[in-house]
Amino acid sequence: MVVEKYTDSKVEEFDVPVNMDNVTVERRAVEGEPLFETYNNTEDSDDDLGIIRIPVTKERIRVIKEHVVTEEIVITKEVVEKMEHVSGTVKHDDIRVNEVKNEDVKVREVKNIDIDK
């Protein structure tokens, strides 16, 4: 008795659904560069659409320059009146008018006459 085993094959064709994921990576600036502590990466429809948001951060140094008062300068003015003894020469102008009459010359001294008149 001979027992043989054999395999018969035939080609069959049919459609099978195949799923694959396409991933899009988009890099975009965040408006205003908010602080990481206040950044909100949840939007209403992100969970339903399978969107994952990853914040890209950087450190920056914040320097604040302020004017502070450390001291003040106060300037006051005081008027002081005192008496001093001074001396000096004071000059004033006098005039002498000469009148000639006939042949006699009379000299008369006049003081405090206003010359402008």
Side-chain angles (χ1 to χ4, degrees):
M1 173 181 264
V2 177
V3 177
E4 288 184 21
K5 180 178 172 186
Y6 71 95
T7 305
D8 188 19
S9 63
K10 76 176 189 181
V11 176
E12 293 185 10
E13 294 183 15
F14 53 92
D15 294 329
V16 177
V18 177
N19 293 330
M20 66 178 191
D21 294 331
N22 288 330
V23 177
T24 302
V25 177
E26 179 184 355
R27 183 176 189 158
R28 55 179 138 152
V30 176
E31 191 173 321
E33 291 188 354
L35 295 176
F36 181 72
E37 294 81 18
T38 59
Y39 174 73
N40 184 2
N41 65 351
T42 58
E43 290 187 11
D44 296 336
S45 61
D46 286 355
D47 293 336
D48 298 337
L49 298 176
I51 295 175
I52 299 172
R53 295 178 187 270
I54 302 170
V56 177
T57 62
K58 69 177 179 180
E59 290 183 340
R60 68 177 167 207
I61 296 173
R62 185 174 179 193
V63 177
I64 298 174
K65 182 178 178 180
E66 298 176 320
H67 282 104
V68 295
V69 179
T70 59
E71 61 183 299
E72 65 181 0
I73 307 298
V74 178
I75 300 173
T76 58
K77 178 180 176 181
E78 180 181 348
V79 177
V80 177
E81 185 177 320
K82 65 178 185 175
M83 300 299 277
E84 287 187 17
H85 180 72
V86 294
S87 65
T89 304
V90 177
K91 297 181 181 181
H92 67 280
D93 293 329
D94 285 335
I95 63 167
R96 181 178 290 163
V97 177
N98 294 324
E99 291 182 22
V100 177
K101 248 186 185 179
N102 296 334
E103 294 188 4
D104 295 339
V105 176
K106 291 182 182 178
V107 176
R108 190 173 88 182
E109 189 172 324
V110 179
K111 292 189 177 190
N112 296 328
I113 295 179
D114 192 357
I115 300 175
D116 294 334
K117 290 184 179 179

